[in-house]
Amino acid sequence: MAQWTSAMGAAQLARLLNSQQERPAGPGTRRPPAYRALADGIRLLVLEGRVPVAARLPAERELALALSVSRTTVAAAYEALRGEGFLESRRGAGSWTAVPAGNPLPARGLEPLPPEALGSVIDLGCASLPAPEPWLTRAVQGALEELPPYAHTHGDYPAGLPALRAMIAERYTARGIPTMPEQIMVTTGAMGAIDAICHLFAGRGERIAVESPSYANILQLMREAGARLIPVAMAEGLTGWDLDRWRQVLREAAPRLAYVVADFHNPTGALADEDQRRRLVDAARSAGTVLVADETMSELWLDEEYGDGGMPRPVCGFDPAGSTVITVGSASKAFWAGMRIGWVRAAPDVIRSLVAARAYADLGTPVLEQLAVNWLFSTGGWEQAVDLRRDQARENRDALVAAVRRELPGWEFEIPRGGLTLWVRAGGLSGSRLAEVGERVGVRVPSGPRFGVDGAFEGYVRLPFTVGGAVADEAAARLAAAARLVESGATGGSEAPRTFVA
């Protein structure tokens, strides 16, 4: 019986391998043999999760033809991978990917660094800050005081606690978007919200248009749901969306859903202006596409001009009938990632359908956490906590920007005016190899291809504003050390990283 559970076609594997562009070798730099470079490329794809474990690889002759190399080169690469534990083979069953004994299985999304590794590795993998105290403690204490009446009920609220739904609706109304509690469903984080929306609107095989790049974990969620992702390139720099491309994709591909982050986009930090929002909603309406607007970063403006109503109107503000836009919000970015409270704002009939489908998913969201968020909203604690969060993110952003410019002057980026992430072109180096080598020198960073479709953005890395001061200086120094190793070709050959970079 075969040991593989999926198959990787020759053309698909060739595209992924060809995306691993590296800077041309300088004078005196020794290039690895062709078979070694191929083996390293496949190993890197497995370690990053872009080629799944237990995926059957193409036959030697097929891959050789797709890559325009000799069959001997592919055979030698496969043999090297078998020797390193990254490939297993059996006559008649082919060859499939594996991981050596003792290595954790790679994940295909971004996962937090295990707490036991925090002392030795600087974690730039997750765009999340520590809790803004004392507001977390106060919110939990306030929630405990409100808990007794709910403890006498069954505790299942598939649409969310009525008090929190009403409070979220009031907050939209205060932003100029009249909203009823019946238009709100509370979810387990923004991921839970988007998962529910995808299952309702986009079954297996349906097209979903996504920004390119986009948030890695959402892309993977959609892949796992069986969606066909249609990438739409972002405009240059921090200017938001390319509306001509969006109109073309929506008109020609007619995707069932489109997913966008208009407010301090993850990973680029771009902010879409009001005209772009209006035109995208109009284009989606004309195409019959449901537009999912992720607002998880909307309150994390870092420049004062966006305070006191200076932000563009929400995307749903350009859809007064409520037939085109579904909005997703969350406490996880603006407050704390450990507060797994999100919400959906949509037309009442959509909310009813989402709630009905929830009976077969997670039933509901924890009551205590909902009470804590409701306490923050109702007491003014939310605004004070988010102010604290903005101050911390601003200081971290400025420290990280200065450190990267000093240590890696050839790396290119634009400074976002909000959000939590810096999208960096890594001076012609492979982001995947930087991620791999970075862990060995003590800094964990996600590579660009995690935020793209089918191998795009190999020359990028994402750096979040999660560290500041001396830690930001040290993180940049370690990234510079990793860059020197990648540039020299001394990336460790067949040596696996000490800890997997998720």
Side-chain angles (χ1 to χ4, degrees):
M1 183 176 178
Q3 301 298 307
W4 49 273
T5 57
S6 62
M8 176 70 61
Q12 182 183 8
L13 181 56
R15 284 197 301 272
L16 292 173
L17 289 166
N18 287 333
S19 73
Q20 296 176 333
Q21 299 298 322
E22 293 186 83
R23 178 179 295 173
T29 301
R30 187 177 63 182
R31 285 191 174 278
Y35 84 90
R36 181 69 263 169
L38 176 56
D40 286 349
I42 294 174
R43 176 175 58 87
L44 199 59
L45 292 172
V46 172
L47 286 171
E48 283 216 319
R50 288 193 283 150
V51 170
V53 174
R56 186 180 185 274
L57 295 187
E60 295 170 2
R61 189 185 304 277
E62 293 174 1
L63 186 57
L65 186 62
L67 292 172
S68 299
V69 299
S70 71
R71 182 179 177 182
T72 302
T73 296
V74 177
Y78 279 13
E79 183 60 33
L81 290 168
R82 278 189 287 269
E84 297 158 12
F86 285 94
L87 198 69
E88 296 181 11
S89 304
R90 191 170 65 202
R91 187 178 297 278
S95 299
W96 56 91
T97 56
V99 293
N103 279 40
L105 286 174
R108 300 188 74 184
L110 298 176
E111 296 182 346
L113 190 69
E116 61 270 19
L118 290 176
S120 59
V121 178
I122 298 174
D123 186 8
L124 298 181
C126 294
S128 300
L129 290 161
E133 290 288 26
W135 298 107
L136 174 62
T137 298
R138 292 180 183 176
V140 173
Q141 290 170 342
L144 288 171
E145 293 175 2
E146 299 292 330
L147 183 61
Y150 295 93
H152 293 291
T153 73
H154 49 63
D156 287 336
Y157 296 88
L161 295 184
L164 181 56
R165 296 176 73 196
M167 182 61 67
I168 294 170
E170 287 180 18
R171 291 174 64 84
Y172 276 107
T173 300
R175 295 168 66 190
I177 314 296
T179 303
M180 304 178 295
E182 292 79 9
Q183 292 177 262
I184 302 296
M185 180 177 84
V186 180
T187 62
T188 307
M191 291 288 289
I194 293 170
D195 183 54
I197 293 165
C198 287
H199 278 88
L200 181 63
F201 285 95
R204 187 165 294 275
E206 291 277 6
R207 297 182 180 93
I208 301 179
V210 295
E211 296 151 326
S212 184
S214 187
Y215 179 40
N217 285 341
I218 293 296
L219 294 180
Q220 190 55 35
L221 181 156
M222 292 173 175
R223 291 187 188 102
E224 296 291 343
R228 298 167 59 189
L229 301 184
I230 311 297
V232 185
M234 296 287 289
E236 289 296 320
L238 300 176
T239 56
W241 302 316
D242 184 328
L243 266 300
D244 290 337
R245 290 174 177 169
W246 270 106
R247 277 195 298 269
Q248 180 181 5
V249 167
L250 295 177
R251 182 176 61 250
E252 296 179 358
R256 187 71 182 90
L257 284 180
Y259 168 77
V260 296
V261 184
D263 303 292
F264 307 118
H265 174 261
N266 187 353
T268 67
L271 177 67
D273 62 31
E274 290 203 359
D275 183 59
Q276 290 173 321
R277 297 170 193 234
R278 179 186 298 105
R279 292 165 61 197
L280 183 57
V281 171
D282 289 345
R285 185 183 298 114
S286 297
T289 296
V290 175
L291 186 62
V292 180
D294 186 334
E295 288 190 336
T296 54
M297 296 283 191
S298 64
E299 295 191 63
L300 290 175
W301 47 265
L302 304 183
D303 289 0
E304 293 300 328
E305 68 182 86
Y306 296 118
D308 298 323
M311 284 287 291
R313 275 189 294 166
V315 175
C316 59
F318 300 95
D319 180 37
S323 59
T324 299
V325 178
I326 296 177
T327 302
V328 171
S330 173
S332 299
K333 292 296 185 186
F335 186 75
W336 183 47
M339 188 68 77
R340 304 304 306 159
I341 298 295
W343 52 86
V344 178
R345 181 199 180 275
D349 62 318
V350 172
I351 294 297
R352 287 193 293 270
S353 297
L354 289 170
V355 171
R358 196 170 194 180
Y360 309 101
D362 64 353
L363 294 177
T365 302
V367 169
L368 188 63
E369 292 185 26
Q370 292 188 69
L371 289 171
V373 172
N374 192 58
W375 183 92
L376 287 166
F377 285 159
S378 61
T379 63
W382 176 268
E383 284 72 23
Q384 295 183 67
V386 174
D387 279 345
L388 182 65
R389 170 67 77 240
R390 291 192 196 104
D391 290 342
Q392 187 177 9
R394 187 183 302 112
E395 291 176 6
N396 287 356
R397 177 195 64 180
D398 296 345
L400 186 64
V401 164
V404 172
R405 282 179 169 169
R406 181 178 62 252
E407 298 288 344
L408 294 150
W411 287 21
E412 302 171 52
F413 54 86
E414 291 193 43
I415 303 174
R417 307 178 78 176
L420 290 171
T421 58
L422 194 68
W423 185 238
V424 182
R425 190 192 301 270
L429 299 179
S430 161
S432 298
R433 296 184 188 277
L434 282 166
E436 181 191 18
V437 177
E439 182 117 3
R440 286 202 220 101
V441 300
V443 60
R444 181 175 183 262
V445 57
S447 64
R450 292 200 174 279
F451 304 88
V453 176
D454 210 12
F457 306 109
E458 183 60 53
Y460 289 80
V461 293
R462 189 195 72 172
L463 306 180
F465 314 142
T466 52
V467 297
V471 181
D473 292 340
E474 179 62 22
R478 294 183 187 187
L479 279 173
R484 288 191 294 271
L485 288 171
V486 172
E487 192 167 18
S488 69
T491 57
S494 62
E495 178 190 353
R498 294 178 313 199
T499 309
F500 173 65
V501 180

